[in-house]
Amino acid sequence: MARNRGTRLAIACVIAAVVVLIDQATKAAALSGLSTQLRIPLLGDLLGLQLAFNPGAILSLGAGFTGLLTLLGVAAVALLVIAVVRARTVWWAVGLGLILGGAIGNLIDRLFSPPGFGIGHVTDFLAYGTWFIGNLADVALGAGVIVLAGVLWARRRAATAQRADTATDGPEPVAEVQRP
């Protein structure tokens, strides 16, 4: 069991590290090559590249509370680390690793990006239509949520099937005894 736990922990940590590295590398590339005014279309108007700096959370919610969002990010990362250590399946470790990597990637921005320590703005560059601009950490967060939702869905489906099998099996029928 300990070996399996160690394997799951290693999987989650490697995934989180890869997400952080890719996220920070793409943000550095965006900072050096993109503009806040010019949008580069990738898939017409559906997806493009445009630099943006987000002081808030998703859709810039809470933009006036960047410091609080940073503290919430630190707490979320701490809770995710605990969840990763307790992951019971490989798929749970994969999902948590994606979420942890995304959370750390955006937390790095909040801690070390302008305008200052703990109140930094998250670097975004993936423009989704006219809806919002995000980054690869956000994509990893979403992918992790999808993986965990899939695990929960599969678990629920298996439990429902097991209950259905148990209900239809029922007790063994009692054979009738014939009397002479």
Side-chain angles (χ1 to χ4, degrees):
M1 179 83 163
R3 183 174 172 209
N4 290 337
R5 180 175 294 222
T7 301
R8 292 187 301 268
L9 178 60
I11 288 169
C13 290
V14 166
I15 289 172
V18 168
V19 167
V20 170
L21 289 172
I22 292 172
D23 174 65
Q24 292 300 303
T26 56
K27 287 174 179 175
L31 286 167
S32 68
L34 297 177
S35 161
T36 56
Q37 287 80 31
L38 178 66
R39 179 182 162 143
I40 300 169
L42 295 176
L43 294 173
D45 291 336
L46 292 177
L47 180 66
L49 298 174
Q50 182 176 354
L51 190 60
F53 302 99
N54 186 358
I58 188 167
L59 303 174
S60 295
L61 295 174
F65 301 97
T66 305
L68 178 60
L69 290 173
T70 302
L71 291 175
L72 290 173
V74 169
V77 166
L79 291 173
L80 284 164
V81 167
I82 292 168
V84 162
V85 169
R86 295 180 177 180
R88 292 183 177 242
T89 69
V90 169
W91 283 109
W92 201 252
V94 168
L96 288 172
L98 288 165
I99 295 170
L100 178 60
I104 291 171
N106 284 338
L107 182 59
I108 288 169
D109 287 8
R110 293 200 182 282
L111 291 172
F112 302 111
S113 294
F117 183 79
I119 56 169
H121 296 178
V122 174
T123 302
D124 290 330
F125 58 91
L126 295 171
Y128 299 94
T130 57
W131 303 304
F132 65 95
I133 301 176
N135 57 50
L136 289 181
D138 302 333
V139 172
L141 285 162
V145 168
I146 290 169
V147 168
L148 294 183
V151 169
L152 292 174
W153 176 80
R155 189 181 294 168
R156 183 174 180 185
R157 188 167 185 216
T160 301
Q162 185 177 13
R163 282 194 302 271
D165 286 346
T166 304
T168 57
D169 288 345
E172 290 293 321
V174 177
E176 283 188 38
V177 178
Q178 294 189 358
R179 297 182 189 212

